[in-house]
Amino acid sequence: MTKVAMVTGAGQGIGEAIAKRLAKAGFAVSVADLNCDQAQRVAKEIRDAGGQSLAIEVNVAFRDQMFSAVEQTAEHFGSFDVLVNNAGLGPVTPIKDVTPEMFDSVMHVNVAGDMWGLQAALEQFEKKPRQGKEVIGKIINATSQAGVRGNKNELLYSSSKFAVRGLTQVAARDLAKQGITVNAYAPGIVDTPMMRKIAEDQGLKMSDYESLIALNKLSEPDDVAKVVEFLASDKSDYITGQTILCDGGMQFE
Ligand SMILES: NC(=O)c1ccc[n+]([C@@H]2O[C@H](COP(=O)([O-])OP(=O)(O)OC[C@H]3O[C@@H](n4cnc5c(N)ncnc54)[C@H](O)[C@@H]3O)[C@@H](O)[C@H]2O)c1
């Protein structure tokens, strides 16, 4: 039976690459994004390449919208197997600049969005029959190398991505008995609209980051998508609660 995945923030950047790679791997994919036009574009490109897709407009910060997006996906494709909580905000925030409004918006998208996704996916997974101790559902969260070591000028972003690792570990322990794995991926410096804006806000060129990376080159979105494809596949069935760094060698654990 065709496996079904929903990828949030799939309208551009890393999420787009993940949605396209999962579709190529045979998943029916729901392309969920705040930006409906971009979600439609990506979903169409997947269908044009012979895959199955559905575009969904969602703001992950709102619990009811996440439940509705996951439900729509399950109803449309007849199953629900993998949720990739990829959507995120990445502001540059020197300590003195952080405001309550910024705190709320970043934490609601980067942390609460993952929690609502987790709850919504669990609702679907609990409807699935299970043979023995097989894995029946996977949740994959976007953290960052900045969620493994605190990054300069990223008080809010780094804090939110550390929280994602925390919720990944707790959910992995809580859901293991139900055959649900929960893991995270931690990219480094990926050439996406988000990272180009971060570079601009720090007065840097993208190439300035190369010296921070052991492999001495920037990441393409597909470098990350390959790791997520592994985490979504049965090849990773015996892995849970982990954060997989895919940063070309910025942080070493
Ligand atoms: N680009 C990097 O170098 C990098 C590094 C480490 C981690 N990450 C993480 O990877 C993920 C994707 O990053 P990216 O660089 O592709 O970002 P991006 O800003 O280029 O794309 C993010 C997408 O998410 C969507 N989005 C934003 N807020 C949303 C919301 N509330 N609800 C639904 N969709 C929303 C946007 O419309 C956009 O399509 C993020 O969680 C980010 O923190 C990125």
Side-chain angles (χ1 to χ4, degrees):
M1 206 171 121
T2 304
K3 293 235 171 165
V4 178
M6 174 169 132
V7 184
T8 67
Q12 68 180 29
I14 295 170
E16 174 176 352
I18 294 169
K20 288 181 171 170
R21 190 160 263 282
L22 292 185
K24 241 186 184 164
F27 282 84
V29 180
S30 113
V31 178
D33 204 287
L34 192 58
N35 184 327
C36 191
D37 291 344
Q38 286 288 83
Q40 300 275 12
R41 175 188 62 77
V42 174
K44 182 173 181 310
E45 287 175 13
I46 288 174
R47 287 193 298 277
D48 289 348
Q52 290 186 66
S53 66
L54 172 72
I56 297 182
E57 182 176 351
V58 68
N59 185 338
V60 302
F62 292 95
R63 190 172 183 270
D64 56 338
Q65 291 192 29
M66 272 305 272
F67 270 75
S68 152
V70 169
E71 223 171 275
Q72 269 184 69
T73 303
E75 271 171 24
H76 185 83
F77 293 118
S79 179
F80 195 86
D81 304 289
V82 174
L83 172 66
V84 184
N85 280 317
N86 169 78
L89 299 177
V92 173
T93 52
I95 290 173
K96 287 185 178 171
D97 291 358
V98 177
T99 62
E101 292 74 24
M102 287 164 79
F103 180 89
D104 283 349
S105 72
V106 173
M107 291 297 177
H108 275 126
V109 175
N110 293 9
V111 186
D114 288 9
M115 284 198 192
W116 311 149
L118 186 65
Q119 292 178 336
L122 179 58
E123 185 178 68
Q124 298 303 323
F125 295 155
E126 283 181 334
K127 296 178 192 167
K128 295 173 74 172
R130 186 175 178 218
Q131 303 281 334
K133 293 187 178 178
E134 73 169 338
V135 172
I136 54 154
K138 292 179 178 242
I139 293 165
I140 305 167
N141 300 318
T143 177
S144 165
Q145 56 77 29
V148 174
R149 297 281 179 277
N151 273 204
K152 199 172 183 310
N153 283 331
E154 291 192 336
L155 182 69
L156 253 182
Y157 184 68
S158 269
S159 302
S160 73
K161 293 299 187 181
F162 268 79
V164 171
R165 290 177 61 216
L167 77 84
T168 299
Q169 292 184 10
V170 173
R173 285 194 196 278
D174 285 356
L175 301 178
K177 277 207 178 79
Q178 288 170 263
I180 298 163
T181 66
V182 189
N183 290 294
Y185 54 99
I189 308 293
V190 191
D191 189 7
T192 68
M194 173 192 282
M195 194 58 226
R196 290 195 283 271
K197 171 85 173 54
I198 291 174
E200 191 186 314
D201 289 350
Q202 294 192 315
L204 297 170
K205 295 192 296 297
M206 286 293 281
S207 57
D208 292 337
Y209 292 102
E210 283 174 356
S211 63
L212 303 175
I213 305 167
L215 292 176
N216 199 237
K217 61 176 183 182
L218 301 179
S219 170
E220 291 301 325
D222 198 47
D223 296 321
V224 181
K226 287 177 197 166
V227 175
V228 176
E229 180 185 0
F230 166 69
L231 290 174
S233 77
D234 59 10
K235 291 182 183 142
S236 64
D237 277 1
Y238 202 60
I239 298 177
T240 196
Q242 304 305 309
T243 292
I244 312 288
L245 275 157
C246 41
D247 63 355
M250 293 179 75
Q251 313 296 353
F252 291 83
E253 282 248 282

